[in-house]
Amino acid sequence: MIENENANGEIWGEGFLRRYLKKHGRKDVSIFMKKLIEDIRLFYAGHPLEDDVTVVACQVTSPFGSTE
């Protein structure tokens, strides 16, 4: 759930998240997380957050394990 608003009263929201995933979803998880945090910081532009921010990500390299 995304609840924090920026100085303009906008919520980063699911739409932003979906667009972010489309654009960056195939990147290495460390790059994905770094860029996500950068984008969130830019969106809020120093506006104090009313709630904490928790981000969890994982990288799946083989969805069914090894084929060997």
Side-chain angles (χ1 to χ4, degrees):
M1 178 181 275
I2 302 167
E3 301 170 333
N4 291 308
E5 294 181 355
N6 66 11
N8 297 324
E10 301 168 312
I11 296 174
W12 196 73
E14 287 183 36
F16 282 94
L17 179 59
R18 287 174 198 239
R19 286 189 293 279
Y20 183 84
L21 288 171
K22 277 185 166 183
K23 186 174 182 180
H24 302 287
R26 296 197 180 268
K27 293 182 179 173
D28 179 81
V29 70
S30 62
I31 295 168
F32 175 89
M33 294 295 288
K34 181 180 178 182
K35 182 68 177 143
L36 176 62
I37 292 168
E38 287 174 6
D39 284 3
I40 290 170
R41 285 186 175 150
L42 285 173
F43 181 82
Y44 289 107
H47 184 72
L49 302 178
E50 298 170 13
D51 203 351
D52 62 339
V53 174
T54 304
V55 180
V56 178
C58 64
Q59 183 170 347
V60 177
T61 55
S62 178
F64 301 106
S66 177
T67 57
E68 298 177 305

